[in-house]
Amino acid sequence: MPKASVKRLIECKKKDLIDLVLDIEKYPEFVPFCYSARVYENKKVDDLTRIVADLTIGKGPFKDTYKSDVVFNEKEDSIFVKNIDGPLNHLSNNWIFTDKKDGMTEVTFDIDFEIKNKFLNSLMVVSFQFGLEKIADAFQKRAEKLFSNTEN
């Protein structure tokens, strides 16, 4: 299964970055390989927000839609995602947000997944870190465009 981790230091407020990640329906506007997004459920209970959403992702002729269960834990400033349905045998990813000095936020993104199609899965292993870096770059660029130079 492809596994990877990316850590970034971004000059934005932690809350803004969390809101950016949770704004799933906007992903097609800036996330590479994301064609569409649809949120079915968005409920907050105490310190947990649960979102159920579809993402259609792919490259070239390879496109597919998978359903995710997204849980934001406000106390831990973390977001955990797992797949519910779609072309994946397994998906789990974690976002962790940590305040740093001078208005900086450290964002750690870990992902682990396996595509049901063994051929596509083997292709993903080869290009996975590159793709993840492109996605991390897109989130960072979007955050800096929307939120940099805001008061901390």
Side-chain angles (χ1 to χ4, degrees):
M1 286 187 278
K3 292 182 184 183
S5 183
V6 172
K7 189 176 285 193
R8 297 288 171 94
L9 202 55
I10 302 174
E11 187 178 354
C12 295
K13 290 188 248 177
K14 179 171 54 176
K15 182 192 180 315
D16 289 338
L17 291 171
I18 290 168
D19 289 346
L20 176 66
V21 173
L22 293 175
D23 194 4
I24 296 165
E25 290 180 323
K26 295 265 174 67
Y27 284 13
E29 295 176 18
F30 70 97
V31 175
F33 319 116
C34 184
Y35 291 96
S36 66
R38 180 174 177 205
V39 172
Y40 294 95
E41 179 181 321
N42 189 337
K43 291 183 181 175
K44 182 174 178 164
V45 178
D46 299 323
D47 293 322
L48 298 179
T49 300
R50 180 170 185 250
I51 301 170
V52 176
D54 277 351
L55 285 182
T56 300
I57 58 168
K59 185 166 174 145
F62 303 106
K63 275 194 275 191
D64 221 326
T65 301
Y66 71 94
K67 188 177 297 292
S68 295
D69 181 50
V70 179
V71 178
F72 167 52
N73 185 322
E74 197 172 330
K75 279 187 178 177
E76 296 179 5
D77 293 321
S78 66
I79 298 170
F80 180 73
V81 181
K82 66 179 181 178
N83 70 302
I84 299 172
D85 193 18
L88 303 169
N89 280 332
H90 167 78
L91 166 77
S92 65
N93 67 282
N94 242 353
W95 297 82
I96 300 170
F97 305 85
T98 309
D99 281 321
K100 295 294 181 182
K101 292 180 182 176
D102 301 321
M104 303 294 279
T105 302
E106 181 181 84
V107 180
T108 304
F109 178 71
D110 299 309
I111 187 166
D112 173 8
F113 75 96
E114 180 180 37
I115 301 172
K116 289 177 183 174
N117 181 307
K118 298 298 182 198
F119 175 71
L120 289 179
N121 200 62
S122 63
L123 287 178
M124 283 300 296
V125 169
V126 174
S127 61
F128 184 60
Q129 187 67 42
F130 173 76
L132 184 60
E133 291 289 342
K134 282 187 68 108
I135 291 168
D137 288 345
F139 273 96
Q140 183 166 356
K141 185 176 176 182
R142 177 77 165 192
E144 289 170 348
K145 177 182 173 187
L146 294 176
F147 308 121
S148 278
N149 302 320
T150 59
E151 286 185 31
N152 291 304

